[in-house]
Amino acid sequence: MAELTLPLNAIRAFLAAARHQSFTLAAQELNVTHGAVSRQIKNLEDYLGMPLFERRIRQVLLTERGRQFFEEASPALEMLAGAARRVMRDAPTRPVSINVRPSFAVRWLIPHLSGFVERYPGIEPRVATSTAIVSRAPGPFDIAIRRGETNWPESLKVQRFMEDELLLVASPALLRNTPLPEARAIAEHTLLLSRSRRGDWEEWKKLAGLKRSRTQPMLHFDHVHFVLQAAVDGLGLALSPVSLADNDLRSGRLVCPLPELRLPLAPYYLGISPQAGAEAQLFAKWLGENRLLA
């Protein structure tokens, strides 16, 4: 008979969801997406061969078997976590180096990184930023993340990581003062532009059926993370990848006034160096669990 592997990540997701009676709150606690929590719990239910939650609109409730499993699994998992913390407390730190673009580091990776550090306290992420293509990125690295599947050295093991889209964002205060009921109302606003994504506004205007305007006020910045900060501060309208604006959208610092006008973007890919160790494999696995769009 084949040996089954206990899905510990799925159990962690289940315990968080059971405590909160909510997949959404569990996702926030674990710093992952709602979809990731839902998939992990479905995997656990398939593993156990029984439903653990009763799914209702905007609510999940433990089944009788789910309540029993919660009561018995909670102390067991805490014992495992405590044992791991004690063993790893004095263990030497193992680094994993990650090379990413600056905006991705500031707006996606760093806000999510606490989840990795909490799960793997013996692994030290070392984040380096570069705007160069991977083959020209300075310094050695274990993992690199970039958009698109081109310009990757053949030596790297490359895999698709995360889908993405471009959408319009603005601060709620700005829209209260100057509403944006339709696309052509952007003429009443200042547009925020990143030099690293120069063509975004032209492409978005084509999608919206708008003509180019030479009189439109614009503010220019070097990187998307500066554009997003300017948008949060109410300086104008911004176009941003969902991946980079996600935390601001979730917190309400930014809103998307025209959600139907979205442009598909090249997906993110990650490449693993042939010299990378087990730490990089764990980091890549963690990245896959935390991607925004399946």
Side-chain angles (χ1 to χ4, degrees), residues 48-60:
L48 296 175
M50 66 183 71
L52 299 173
F53 286 99
E54 180 183 341
R55 276 81 165 171
R56 298 183 179 179
I57 298 174
R58 300 179 182 274
Q59 187 182 23
V60 292

Side-chain angles (χ1 to χ4, degrees), residues 24-96:
T24 299
L25 294 178
Q28 292 175 5
E29 176 186 324
L30 300 174
N31 206 18
V32 299
T33 65
H34 179 284
V37 169
S38 180
R39 286 192 297 272
Q40 290 282 17
I41 291 173
K42 181 63 168 60
N43 290 342
L44 181 60
E45 290 176 326
D46 291 344
Y47 176 88
L48 296 175
M50 66 183 71
L52 299 173
F53 286 99
E54 180 183 341
R55 276 81 165 171
R56 298 183 179 179
I57 298 174
R58 300 179 182 274
Q59 187 182 23
V60 292
L61 298 174
L62 285 169
T63 63
E64 184 177 348
R65 290 291 183 88
R67 190 176 300 107
Q68 178 186 355
F69 186 68
F70 175 66
E71 292 173 354
E72 296 186 15
S74 295
L77 195 65
E78 182 53 39
M79 288 178 62
L80 284 173
R85 286 192 294 268
R86 289 190 294 273
V87 168
M88 299 181 74
R89 188 177 297 139
D90 300 321
T93 301
R94 297 163 292 161
V96 56

Side-chain angles (χ1 to χ4, degrees), residues 111-134:
H112 285 80
L113 207 51
S114 61
F116 179 83
V117 173
E118 180 181 354
R119 186 184 302 183
Y120 302 107
I123 301 176
E124 177 191 347
R126 297 180 180 178
V127 181
T129 63
S130 172
T131 58
I133 61 175
V134 175

